[in-house]
Amino acid sequence: MDKPPPHESISSRWSVSSVDKEVTFGDLGDLGSKRIRHGSAGADSEMLSMSQKEIKDEDARLVYINDPERTNETFDFTGNSIKTAKYSVFTFLPRNLFEQFHRVAYVYFLCIAVLNQLPQLAVFGRGASIMPLAFVLLVSAIKDAYEDFRRHRSDRVENNRLALVFEDGEFREKQWKYIRVGEVIKVVSNQTLPCDMVLLATSDPTGVVYVQTTNLDGESNLKTRYAKQETLQKATDLETFDGFIKCEKPNRNIYGFQANMEIDGRRLSLGPSNIILRGCELKNTEWALGVVVYAGSETKAMLNNSGAPSKRSRLETRMNLEIILLSLFLIVLCTTAAATAAVWLRQHRNDLDTILFYRRKDYSVRPEGKNYHYYGWGWEIFFTFFMAVIVYQIMIPISLYISMELVRIGQAYFMTRDDLMYDESSNSSFQCRALNINEDLGQIKYLFSDKTGTLTDNKMEFQCACIGGVDYSDREPAESEQAGYSVEVDGVILKPKMRVRVDPELLKLTRNGKATEEAKRANEFFLSLAACNTIVPIVTNTSDPNVKLVDYQGESPDEQALVYAAAAYGFLLIERTSGHIVINVRGEMQRFNVLGLHEFDSDRKRMSVILGCPDMSVKLYVKGADSSMFGVMDHESYGDVIEATKNQLHAYSSDGLRTLVVGMRKLNDTEFEQWHSSFEAASTALIGRAGLLRKVAGNIETNLRIVGATAIEDKLQRGVPEAIESLRIAGIKVWVLTGDKQETAISIGFSSRLLTRNMRQIVINSNSLASCRRSLEEANDSIASDDDESVALIIDGTSLIYVLDNDLEDVLFQVACKSSAVLCCRVAPFQKAGIVALVKNRTSDMTLAIGDGANDVSMIQMADVGVGISGQEGRQAVMASDFAMGQFRFLVPLLLVHGHWNYQRMGYMILYNFYRNAVFVLILFWYVLFTCYTLTTAITEWSSVLYSVVYTSFPTIVIGILDKNLGRRILLNHPQLYGVGQRGEGYSTTLFWYMMFDTVWQSAVIFFIPLFAYWGSTIDTSSLGDLWTIAAVVVVNLHLAMDVIRWNWIAHAAIWGSIVAACICVIVIDVIPTLPGYWAIFEVAKTWMFWFCLLAIVVTSLLPRFAIKFLVEYYRPSDVRIAREVEKLRTFSESQTMGTEMNQIQDPARR
Amino acid sequence: MSTNTASSSAGSGDPSTARKNSKRPKYSKFTQQELPACKPILTPGWVISTFLIVSVVFIPLGVISLFASQDVVEIVDRYDNDCIPAPARTNKVAFIQGASPKACNRTLTVTKRMKQPIYVYYQLENFYQNHRRYVKSRSDSQLRSPKYENQISACKPEDDAGGQPIVPCGLIAWSLFNDTYTLSRNNTPLAVNKKGIAWKSDKEHKFGNRVFPKNFQKGNLTGGATLKSDIPLSEQEDLIVWMRTAALPTFRKLYGKIETDLENGDTIHVTLQNNYNTYSFSGKKKLVLSTTSWLGGKNDFLGIAYLTVGGICFFLALAFTIMYLVKPRRLGDPSYLSWNRNPGGR
């Protein structure tokens, strides 16, 4: 039927993710999976035809219509109350804990806490050992509880909504939660469906209803659903309605449904077009009756309520390597402690009984004494080791995981709030669906983009017509203030809602009526455009009561564009029912009976209607992709026209236009009768209905007379060329994958500046494995020979068949890597994922896929980062994506600004967290060397626990969310700065080692300055411990302060605040008289020595870092550093630099 | 056509539902991450001045620290070895545990005038008062109040004697230092004030004035000093001082204060009871008479550290200045950007 290029036939949009709209255009349709169809014409999907093979009893559910008791007799089907909330009051604690402990980090935490409970290993008191874990669990639990509370509340609202249910002979209002499977309910216009129901009857005599599925898949256009003819009449008398439905078990496929209905002994098959789902809204239909088949949590909408996919960020994976290193450190530290302890114990083994500070024996029991707390040399070492593990546990920064989560939430908040990424036209702001890969956005090297709807608006505009081989493509100037076409009917002026620019010559031609052969053909052409489609016209009122607007609703933007075009030339489609259409032909109402409709499918790549015209003739109109249409034309009679049209089509597609060919044929009575009987037979067939219908369509769609061809412009989205250019400068390789024809794809490539004039194009267009191999290898050699030239690789879907899953993948990858742009045309959806996988498996570089349609889902899920465009095409892409936004150009701020920031922040935060915990652990470790190798801590146990939770964590989180190494403007103006993330400069093993050396130095300074200063003095453990605590907190926070780039008030508050908070905590701990350290902080802070030590520690520990940081930044400046200087000192004007950069890549777009 | 389609699809067929509420994020400097901020960068000027300032501050501080340390007059006398009669030195542990008399005479000479107050310390070395077994063996609540007398679970092995709780319990109290010093100057007794040697906070809040020693040092092994059972713990200052466990294995504890000045050339005779057993772990015992300065005791480390750091900073400031003059880089010069240095190469 319709629109190939436009793809998006109904069927494809309804198909599951593997289907590609764009494919319909190319030759590869047969590679795609089978499409599911729906429609009154009766075609049901293959899946449906399977339903006729008996749904096995054990896989089926039986629903007795209007008899909920019997329905629920054997199996108690789920009621309609829904529960999206995860917990109840009683299950909250166990379930929430269970879920939280899925995290390995928490299990580690727990193990340490459990170890600590063994009496031999009790390093910390019970409270202190459990507190960090309890704190973290509590915070997450509160968060979960709050979210769950909100779910409970919305559940309650949802469950208490009212619906009309047929009970005791009348329709009564009933709360949603009491609706049961088997009941018959009535839904009126604009109501939301409370459950999934099979349609029995509607206010429309033909059984059509229109529904809007925004809540389900986000598509806002109307979809049609049908009640079975057989049930239409019966439903008037519900009391006696007797029948049952046997349907499949609940599943989450919102595009599939199979069932049989048995009424009065007749069996009918039901398909996806006979069911309306919970969450849909009834539109343009007064009422609809249906029987509930799935309720509550078993409805398809509920089953589809799954969260975002979970991915792991590259940085986090990288970080695990360092975590392993840290674990090794930890083991080394613990082993050292255990080994030195072993040596000491061995040396003093004879004196242990009486050493005043050891006293192995308890003499109070018996005179010769008994060992107490001593389990033998071996065990002591063993225990020492594990005590060391407990004391040094924070070497593995558990708090890091929580900090990272909080930071990502914060970053996500700022991304969604970004003004730059708000899309006015769809009123959507940025969505962050996956919360754990924010920083991956800063490391993208490969970008895979869909074309239609992603680079382009997917808003089609009728541009050219070729009628009878003659091109009509002059358009009236855009600014002409002509009112557009309108027509007066019964005193009311009808106007199409959208104006289309028309070719004046063609307009004149159509106005001439049937005067000339040309005019006749033009009329025929527009009549077929107005008739051959599945568009539903909706007449809406305007503020002026005399003017009404005709709005065309349909699932394909191409069809909409064509119908609007027809309307502009005077063929105004006014009404469509399943049986007829009304077209106002320049003021004259004409009624056509729709005798048959063959919907679009991907095998035929065309659709057709059979119309009974007012003059009693029967005509077949066919519309489809050129590739499929020229095959069914009558070449003998119309060879010239076909040739001319072909040439014209070539010109159109070179201009990036999407083309369709229209053909028609008059049917004589016999042909029609023949068709009619086979159509009837096919549409009532129980098995293989879809295949039969396709065959019927194929039989009739032959020997067509060519009427004309259309060209539709798929307009580029705003800012796309600039965005692609920015991304290219940023070093991101952009691959465009499209189902369009090669010429169309290339021309879009030029207009979007993906391709430039000075690029050499390598086109791979092969039909066999051998030729494919040859051309790829030639290409590879030719690139290798001269590397100065920039090359664009253009490859089509057929060649890709030979390449993918083959050793050619490697060659293709090499060629593609050396090319500055890659364009894949006529690609099937599954190939999109294959191409992404090809790159992903061969490099460690990050890939990002962006798309808007169901056909992009596989690609979005395959890539490291999936971005969905929440545009015209429904929400499957968004549902599968990690991030969703309204426009392609938002990629630039997303990657260059937010990605850059997030990566830098996260990389720094991870390193810093390693550092701050390691500093503390090392201070504890040094002390052990002076405590006879026993795990005494001078720092109070509460301080050790609070250190990573309270004393130092807040600033890292704040800085991780808020700090910006560079401003937005400079990042956008210099996309090259993105390379920082691609080269992994923000986090690397080298940086880790630098950090670790610094850590050792700083911890040694913090520990040894007081040690020597207080050696042989009266200092007591608690006082020295307090000094160490405060020194560590100050140093660690100043270290952070040194790296903060933007000091706004929040950063000030966080850093200085956390030092103050730490001091307050130390003081609070020291005013508890039952702790050994009572009042120590006051006693020690009275002395000058304390402050002298503190000052010396702070300056000495940070000195090397400060000096080296300066030297590196001054003499080996990174790009970021230079850019910061530029930003601060404004040493040159922005425009100046932009100018030089642009020159390198500038190439005027073709159109 | 584009704007029309957008609105039409949103409102599809039912204008009443057309959403007029914009989801545009509210603009604020906070949400756009444009809060006013100061963005300092390390310029040579800043860095060199920082180093200069540090050296200007640190060098004088180092000098005054050194002076403070030099002002302190300290007499240290190690006696653990000498106070064991020569014949017993082969088995010091046996001697110290034996019943033979432990008195020992030491003579100290004052080499520089010492102004009062002069602190008398005992210094122990190689004594791990921070050993894990040791520090944990105490009951702070028991020390505070007679109510908690029975809280002795942490005190093993000195928790009870014959079923009766020991007060104060635990290894720390049990090992209370028990050497005593009697000082005389030029044959006149020199008073050593043993009051006020503990922290006031400890006496007032940590050690109860209604808690009296019970069953102390009644076990089979005596660790150290005994306590008079009629004096409350809050007055047992030696114990309070001892219970503030030392942070490091070499430490001093305040024994008392001499409240008269000692003149250069004075001879101090010390009669000491060498009771305390540090011999089993080769611990050293020293008697220390010392004045203090505002910075504490005699320790040159901090002064040297300050001078060193100050010196390094001065040197760095100098070096950076020279480097800056010899090989300056223009800040913010875009020609240093990597893509400008080797155009085309990525």
Side-chain angles (χ1 to χ4, degrees), chain A residues 41 593-598 604 608-612 618-620 665 667-683 692-701:
Chain A
N593 290 320
V594 179
L595 303 173
L597 176 75
H598 296 113
R604 283 158 52 233
S608 56
V609 285
I610 296 173
L611 294 184
V618 176
K619 284 178 183 162
L620 167 76
R665 180 155 71 101
L667 300 182
N668 57 35
D669 288 353
T670 27
E671 271 176 320
F672 178 69
E673 283 309 322
Q674 219 172 1
W675 167 82
H676 189 68
S677 55
S678 49
F679 183 76
E680 282 298 303
S683 48
L692 286 174
L693 279 170
R694 193 156 54 226
K695 222 169 114 197
V696 172
N699 287 339
I700 193 91
E701 292 161 355

Side-chain angles (χ1 to χ4, degrees), chain A residues 427 460 1078 1092 1114 1119 1125, chain B residues 1 244 306 329 332 338:
Chain A
N427 189 24
M460 307 300 163
Y1078 179 66
F1092 269 62
Y1114 194 68
D1119 293 342
E1125 292 169 2
Chain B
M1 84 189 283
R244 276 265 153 215
Y306 267 90
R329 171 173 77 84
S338 63

Side-chain angles (χ1 to χ4, degrees), chain B residues 11-49:
Chain B
S12 79
D14 185 7
S16 64
T17 61
R19 287 164 294 178
K20 278 277 154 263
N21 48 331
S22 168
K23 286 190 207 149
R24 174 183 280 278
K26 257 203 200 143
Y27 179 88
S28 79
K29 288 204 157 173
F30 175 70
T31 55
Q32 301 310 307
Q33 308 190 56
E34 298 290 353
L35 283 178
C38 149
K39 26 186 184 180
I41 53 175
L42 292 181
T43 59
W46 275 104
V47 173
I48 292 167
S49 356

Side-chain angles (χ1 to χ4, degrees), chain A residues 709-772:
Chain A
T710 61
I712 295 170
E713 185 181 7
D714 186 5
K715 281 195 140 177
L716 276 186
Q717 280 183 16
R718 195 150 75 84
V720 164
E722 293 79 9
I724 289 193
E725 192 166 301
S726 277
L727 296 174
R728 285 246 314 279
I729 303 174
I732 299 171
K733 287 193 191 290
V734 182
W735 295 38
V736 171
L737 316 178
T738 171
D740 280 353
K741 273 186 296 200
Q742 193 162 308
E743 296 84 4
T744 317
I746 291 178
S747 75
I748 289 279
F750 277 112
S751 58
S752 64
R753 292 196 217 163
L754 177 69
L755 304 179
T756 58
R757 284 283 154 230
N758 51 12
M759 279 181 184
R760 186 160 63 89
Q761 295 181 11
I762 296 179
V763 180
I764 298 189
N765 222 337
S766 315
N767 283 316
S768 71
L769 181 59
S771 70
C772 190

Side-chain angles (χ1 to χ4, degrees), chain B residues 142-339:
Chain B
Q142 190 201 40
L143 299 174
R144 272 192 88 204
S145 157
K147 266 195 298 192
Y148 302 117
E149 185 176 289
N150 288 318
Q151 293 206 351
I152 50 173
S153 55
C155 289
K156 280 196 157 193
E158 290 298 324
D159 50 349
D160 58 17
Q164 290 297 306
I166 298 175
V167 182
C169 71
L171 276 185
I172 306 181
W174 169 78
S175 60
L176 178 59
F177 187 74
N178 60 353
D179 287 4
T180 57
Y181 314 111
T182 314
L183 275 67
S184 61
R185 171 172 60 166
N186 307 334
N187 300 323
T188 53
L190 189 60
V192 175
N193 183 1
K194 290 183 68 69
K195 286 280 170 225
I197 56 174
W199 290 358
K200 216 168 126 233
S201 55
D202 277 356
K203 285 165 69 178
E204 286 173 2
H205 302 290
K206 198 158 171 57
F207 291 80
N209 52 14
R210 290 181 298 124
V211 186
F212 294 91
K214 276 188 198 159
N215 310 313
F216 192 64
Q217 299 291 19
K218 296 279 161 53
N220 299 330
L221 186 69
T222 303
T226 54
L227 295 174
K228 288 192 185 132
S229 58
D230 54 346
I231 300 177
L233 292 190
S234 60
E235 301 301 319
Q236 308 263 14
E237 295 202 31
D238 280 327
L239 176 75
I240 297 175
V241 168
W242 184 252
M243 294 284 286
R244 276 265 153 215
T245 54
L248 301 169
T250 295
F251 61 92
R252 290 175 184 177
K253 292 268 174 206
L254 191 54
Y255 180 82
K257 288 180 275 187
I258 299 171
E259 280 156 345
T260 51
D261 294 352
L262 296 181
E263 301 303 327
N264 186 8
D266 281 357
T267 314
I268 314 273
H269 286 279
V270 185
T271 309
L272 59 80
Q273 291 294 324
N274 182 22
N275 299 324
Y276 201 64
N277 178 10
T278 56
Y279 301 97
S280 53
F281 49 90
S282 4
K284 294 176 196 163
K285 293 194 282 191
K286 290 176 181 169
L287 171 63
V288 180
L289 301 187
S290 170
T291 60
T292 59
S293 68
W294 56 273
L295 193 56
K298 193 172 188 62
N299 190 333
D300 291 348
F301 171 78
L302 212 52
I304 294 168
Y306 267 90
L307 285 179
T308 316
V309 173
I312 291 175
C313 284
F314 183 72
F315 170 77
L316 285 176
L318 215 60
F320 284 175
T321 312
I322 294 168
M323 282 168 76
Y324 173 65
L325 293 174
V326 172
K327 199 186 162 210
R329 171 173 77 84
R330 192 160 80 90
L331 290 185
D333 183 349
S335 62
Y336 284 96
L337 289 165
S338 63
W339 60 89

Side-chain angles (χ1 to χ4, degrees), chain A residues 90-122:
Chain A
F90 301 105
T91 59
F92 179 75
L93 204 60
R95 265 197 79 175
N96 186 258
L97 282 181
F98 177 76
E99 277 170 23
Q100 291 204 38
F101 276 112
H102 272 106
R103 272 178 236 169
V104 183
Y106 290 7
V107 175
Y108 170 81
F109 239 152
L110 183 68
C111 288
I112 299 276
V114 168
L115 270 185
N116 190 66
Q117 305 310 314
L118 299 179
Q120 291 85 356
L121 299 177

Side-chain angles (χ1 to χ4, degrees), chain A residues 2-3 6 8 13 220-222 458-462 496 498 500 529-530 532-536 551-568 573 623 660 712 872, chain B residues 1 4-6 8-9 12:
Chain A
D2 56 349
K3 57 243 340 337
E8 9 269 275
R13 299 181 120 245
S220 57
N221 43 34
L222 297 188
N458 203 17
K459 281 176 193 156
M460 307 300 163
E461 198 166 329
F462 180 82
M498 231 174 317
V500 177
L529 293 190
C532 184
N533 54 55
T534 52
I535 293 290
V536 182
D551 181 15
Y552 291 123
Q553 287 276 326
E555 299 183 28
S556 149
D558 297 74
E559 278 195 343
Q560 281 179 330
L562 294 179
V563 178
Y564 277 117
L573 177 68
K623 174 172 90 200
L660 281 175
I712 295 170
Q872 303 276 299
Chain B
M1 84 189 283
N4 279 339
T5 352
S8 72
S9 60
S12 79

